[in-house]
Amino acid sequence: MDAKSLIIELIVGFVALFLMTKILGKVSLAQITTFDFISSIVLGELVGNAIYDNNVKLNSILLSVAIWGLMIYIIEWFTQKFRGSRSFLEGKPSIIIRNGHIDREEMKKNKLDLDELQNLLRQRSVFSIREVAYAVLETDGSVNVLKKSKYDITKKSDLNVPQKPVYLPITLINDGEVDYENLKEAGLDENWLFNTLREHKIDNAKQVFYLEWKKDEGVFLEKM
């Protein structure tokens, strides 16, 4: 394939994909669903093979994009017309924290572990699970959070209230496993942890799904 043909096919492929994206009404990659993600991969593969395969002509690129674009359009139309198909084709949001408690079953269904959940919450400026009343895992993989009322209040600067020190929460038990490094970093020891578990009528760390400690608020714990 000579340079001229390659350039033309690259431009045509780019324009075709761009126009199809506009026609289908995609607004942002951040809002991509599972079906959109699959579509993007397939379209990229179709155009890529068409461009770099000498036996594939320019009209093949356009035909590939047009057929796949039509299929996507039909699916989008179908989900608009029939609401029941949306959860199957596009997925549906999952409530992973409900009334301040982690829903382990929903986390399992969505293949989500505690480390990933904490990462998603930090992206929403939430540094402790105890602050969350409800957390919803959206179909695009992001999390939206409704904070508990005592954490979702007017800024202290607006009320002229003196500022207090701010502390980060430290995870001490994650899915039944004690994080001894974090325990040491917090200035605590096994005796303190054992006594804390006993106060909550827990005999073993294996019975704890999640436990965090914060200097100004103490312990937050979720049982298995």
Side-chain angles (χ1 to χ4, degrees):
M1 180 183 292
D2 57 39
K4 183 179 178 181
S5 299
L6 178 61
I7 292 171
I8 292 173
E9 291 191 1
L10 280 171
I11 292 173
V12 170
F14 173 80
V15 171
L17 287 175
F18 180 79
L19 289 176
M20 194 195 71
T21 301
K22 287 293 185 182
I23 292 169
L24 294 175
K26 301 292 180 278
V27 292
S28 141
L29 285 177
Q31 297 173 334
I32 198 167
T33 64
T34 303
F35 184 75
D36 296 330
F37 178 68
I38 294 170
S39 299
S40 299
I41 293 175
V42 172
L43 280 172
E45 187 72 13
L46 286 173
V47 174
N49 289 339
I51 288 172
Y52 296 107
D53 190 336
N54 293 329
N55 297 320
V56 178
K57 302 303 179 184
L58 188 62
N59 58 346
S60 298
I61 299 177
L62 296 175
L63 181 62
S64 299
V65 173
I67 292 174
W68 190 255
L70 179 61
M71 291 171 62
I72 296 174
Y73 181 82
I74 291 171
I75 294 295
E76 295 286 354
W77 175 86
F78 193 79
T79 55
Q80 294 269 343
K81 205 75 173 173
F82 304 100
R83 291 180 59 112
S85 65
R86 293 178 189 175
S87 60
F88 176 73
L89 294 171
E90 297 181 350
K92 60 181 180 179
S94 299
I95 301 176
I96 51 178
I97 297 180
R98 188 190 303 269
N99 290 323
H101 296 286
I102 300 170
D103 191 326
R104 294 186 64 205
E105 290 304 315
E106 284 298 323
M107 288 184 64
K108 285 180 181 178
K109 286 179 185 177
N110 290 280
K111 307 295 185 293
L112 185 70
D113 60 40
L114 275 172
D115 292 330
E116 291 171 324
L117 174 59
Q118 288 176 299
N119 180 289
L120 290 168
L121 291 176
R122 286 193 294 270
Q123 292 177 32
R124 289 288 183 262
S125 298
V126 177
F127 289 86
S128 173
I129 293 175
R130 77 179 76 198
E131 298 177 19
V132 181
Y134 288 89
V136 180
L137 182 65
E138 304 292 355
T139 56
D140 62 0
S142 65
V143 164
N144 282 315
V145 174
L146 177 64
K147 288 186 176 182
K148 294 176 182 174
S149 57
K150 72 174 183 177
Y151 294 104
D152 191 20
I153 57 177
T154 307
K155 293 180 180 178
K156 291 182 182 295
S157 58
D158 296 334
L159 301 174
N160 295 319
V161 177
Q163 294 188 4
K164 295 180 180 180
V166 176
Y167 303 99
L168 279 175
I170 299 175
T171 301
L172 301 181
I173 300 179
N174 186 333
D175 206 8
E177 296 293 330
V178 178
D179 191 323
Y180 291 100
E181 187 176 336
N182 282 355
L183 190 66
K184 184 178 179 182
E185 183 183 331
L188 306 171
D189 55 28
E190 288 187 66
N191 287 331
W192 175 90
L193 182 61
F194 178 71
N195 290 331
T196 299
L197 294 180
R198 286 185 62 185
E199 289 174 8
H200 289 83
K201 296 179 171 49
I202 296 173
D203 299 321
N204 193 296
K206 297 289 184 184
Q207 298 173 266
V208 179
F209 181 54
Y210 177 77
L211 186 149
E212 73 173 29
W213 177 82
K214 198 176 177 188
K215 189 171 182 179
D216 56 343
E217 295 185 38
V219 169
F220 174 79
L221 182 149
E222 286 277 352
K223 294 181 182 180
M224 285 287 193

